[in-house]
Amino acid sequence: MYTELIQDKLDSLKESGQYREFVTINRINGQYPLAMLNGKEDTKPVVVWCSNDYLGMSQHTVVTEAMHEAIRMFGAGSGGSRNIGGTHYHYAALESSLAEWHEKEAALVFPTGYGSNDATLQCLFRLFPDCIVFSDELNHASIINGIRSTKVERQIFKHNDVEHLESLLAAQPIDRPKIIVFESVYSMDGDISPIEKIADLAHTYNALTFLDEVHAIGMYGPRGAGIAAERGVAHQIDFIQGTMAKSIGIIGGYIAASTPLIDAIRSFASGFIFTTSLPPAIVAACHASVEHLKVSDKERNALHHKTKVLREAFAEASIPVMNCSETHILPVLVGEAKKCKAAAKRLLEEHGVYLQPINSPTVPVGTERFRINVTPNHTEEQIIQLTSALVEVFHYFDIPFAHAKELVYV
């Protein structure tokens, strides 16, 4: 009975085009964004266009050398949770660096960015009696799970809509504990939140702010400290959450805040206390990457330049980049789950282009898309090849272009 029930669920996913399948992509060290398909090492490499390794730091020598040295000194594993035997001096160095980056007193590192959101939010909602949370409707699954895992009262405000948020805040007593949770750059649309206005509302209505900056750190703001720093309001944000799995190029999540707030999460968050810590090699590599990005503009400048080049190429070819995008994330609208999946398959098999279809429930039905991002490592030749491949595939599957004019592909 149980197997049949589960199989029905899986069959439904497959029928709707929402069933996810892994593509084994073996990235080639020193040649990112090139990768080999598993079992096809004798064929031409494919070009990866959907990695969150935004700046290519996973293969930067300053990172790999730090990792190798830490493995040589400490071995592979951490030995347990931070409380029992899994902390080491690299942790103190990394957390101090992260706190300074975000203009905060302290920081706390988690094994993943998902975990830092989930564990911190659950902990906060349980620490504050009669707390209410205000969450942007497009917040990440890790935020949603952190909220839903507690009995906290929740109010969902329309995406980036400060008027709606204010109406919700104004309906609550001024002395009731409140937390506003939002992101700076939204990963599927590539848009930016009105951080300054939300920070002002938080001050007016006596609310804490929790800002997810995972798709901004390293790439925006002075020394890559994120959008809040770019707009001069980082000091007004109570919690800044980030990840080391995207622009930093490795893995791990963190929060940065005041010393008492960080100490409270360290002391009460079960998702931190009872999990194995990151190995020394990972933490050392993260620290090396963060320190590099603080002083080097080379990678982020190249990212923004090549994003501009890619946007221009798409515009010329009438590839439909969704209007919401204002960052390095370019969502290309397909609009149908099965067609999106089939188009991704053709891009890979016929053109050597690796893109993953983004379907419901990650994005709303009818807005299925490719989430494309260039990196400093992509060449202009690869940009031209991607554009040409998309034009061919859009014609092949009769996917609407941005304009009505007929295009010829090469």
Side-chain angles (χ1 to χ4, degrees):
M1 177 183 77
Y2 299 105
T3 300
E4 291 173 354
L5 289 171
I6 291 298
Q7 193 60 53
D8 285 345
K9 295 287 187 182
L10 292 172
D11 290 343
S12 178
L13 269 184
K14 292 176 182 178
E15 178 61 27
S16 68
Q18 297 172 342
Y19 182 73
R20 292 175 170 90
E21 296 179 87
F22 292 143
V23 177
T24 302
I25 294 291
N26 300 316
R27 302 200 303 170
I28 305 169
N29 186 28
Q31 298 183 48
Y32 179 73
L34 297 183
M36 302 301 298
L37 296 180
N38 195 43
K40 298 182 180 180
E41 280 69 18
D42 58 338
T43 61
K44 187 177 179 181
V46 300
V47 183
V48 178
W49 282 100
C50 54
S51 171
N52 285 339
D53 187 7
Y54 293 134
L55 298 178
M57 290 302 295
S58 67
Q59 299 189 13
H60 197 290
T61 54
V62 73
V63 173
T64 56
E65 287 174 5
M67 184 174 281
H68 279 296
E69 178 62 14
I71 289 176
R72 186 189 68 78
M73 292 178 64
F74 305 112
S78 72
S81 69
R82 292 278 295 277
N83 289 300
I84 293 176
T87 197
H88 41 83
Y89 77 85
H90 284 299
Y91 261 111
L94 175 59
E95 288 171 342
S96 175
S97 177
L98 291 169
E100 187 273 336
W101 208 17
H102 294 295
E103 303 176 41
K104 301 300 178 191
E105 294 176 341
L108 190 67
V109 168
F110 292 73
T112 68
Y114 188 107
S116 57
N117 267 337
D118 186 36
T120 301
L121 291 171
Q122 286 192 48
C123 181
L124 287 173
F125 301 145
R126 290 173 176 140
L127 284 175
F128 296 116
D130 193 33
C131 185
I132 181 170
V133 60
F134 302 88
S135 178
D136 189 288
E137 65 179 341
L138 294 189
N139 276 339
H140 188 262
S142 57
I143 293 172
I144 295 169
N145 193 69
I147 293 171
R148 289 180 175 174
S149 296
T150 70
K151 296 179 180 179
V152 67
E153 182 180 348
R154 57 184 180 269
Q155 297 281 338
I156 309 301
F157 62 93
K158 296 174 185 177
H159 180 53
N160 284 345
D161 189 332
V162 291
E163 291 184 1
H164 186 218
L165 173 58
E166 182 167 21
S167 71
L168 297 174
L169 288 164
Q172 298 299 320
I174 195 70
D175 59 348
R176 184 180 185 186
K178 310 172 193 71
I179 303 176
I180 304 170
V181 185
F182 62 114
E183 303 180 32
S184 59
V185 174
Y186 285 84
S187 64
M188 291 300 132
D189 289 351
D191 57 338
I192 298 174
S193 64
I195 300 175
E196 308 98 312
K197 293 180 180 179
I198 293 176
D200 287 342
L201 286 180
H203 177 75
T204 300
Y205 293 99
N206 191 31
L208 284 177
T209 45
F210 186 101
L211 175 64
D212 179 320
E213 285 255 45
V214 299
H215 293 279
I217 58 165
M219 296 167 286
Y220 299 93
R223 303 188 304 153
I227 300 292
E230 180 178 72
R231 298 185 175 182
V233 295
H235 64 286
Q236 295 179 247
I237 303 299
D238 297 293
F239 282 93
I240 291 178
Q241 184 267 351
T243 183
M244 271 105 43
K246 294 180 172 59
S247 68
I248 295 171
I250 311 157
I251 192 171
Y254 66 86
I255 52 171
S258 68
T259 298
L261 288 175
I262 292 297
D263 200 23
I265 303 304
R266 185 190 68 83
S267 300
F268 293 107
S270 61
F272 172 80
I273 295 169
F274 298 105
T275 191
T276 300
S277 68
L278 289 171
I282 297 293
V283 181
C286 290
H287 184 224
S289 184
V290 169
E291 288 298 300
H292 175 83
L293 291 174
K294 284 182 179 182
V295 298
S296 174
D297 288 328
K298 176 183 176 182
E299 292 80 11
R300 47 185 163 267
N301 286 345
L303 171 72
H304 299 314
H305 168 70
K306 290 186 178 178
T307 297
K308 181 175 181 290
V309 172
L310 183 60
R311 279 187 183 276
E312 290 171 350
F314 282 178
E316 178 65 25
S318 291
I319 299 298
V321 176
M322 297 172 69
N323 291 333
C324 51
S325 172
E326 53 185 319
T327 60
H328 61 286
I329 297 168
L330 306 186
V332 170
L333 183 66
V334 176
E336 184 182 322
K338 290 183 178 179
K339 195 172 284 190
C340 195
K341 192 171 183 179
K345 186 173 186 289
R346 182 170 180 84
L347 282 167
L348 186 63
E349 294 177 351
E350 299 296 327
H351 297 283
V353 167
Y354 176 61
L355 281 170
Q356 269 294 327
I358 307 297
N359 291 337
S360 173
T362 305
V363 296
V365 173
T367 69
E368 291 83 0
R369 68 197 66 173
F370 294 127
R371 177 187 177 278
I372 299 174
N373 47 274
V374 71
T375 74
N377 305 70
H378 285 90
T379 66
E380 295 202 10
E381 180 182 3
Q382 288 168 339
I383 289 173
I384 293 169
Q385 190 256 340
L386 168 66
T387 305
S388 177
L390 284 169
V391 169
E392 190 278 329
V393 168
F394 269 53
H395 276 295
Y396 188 89
F397 289 104
D398 195 26
I399 299 168
F401 284 90
H403 305 292
K405 70 178 182 181
E406 194 68 21
L407 299 174
V408 177
Y409 62 88
V410 294

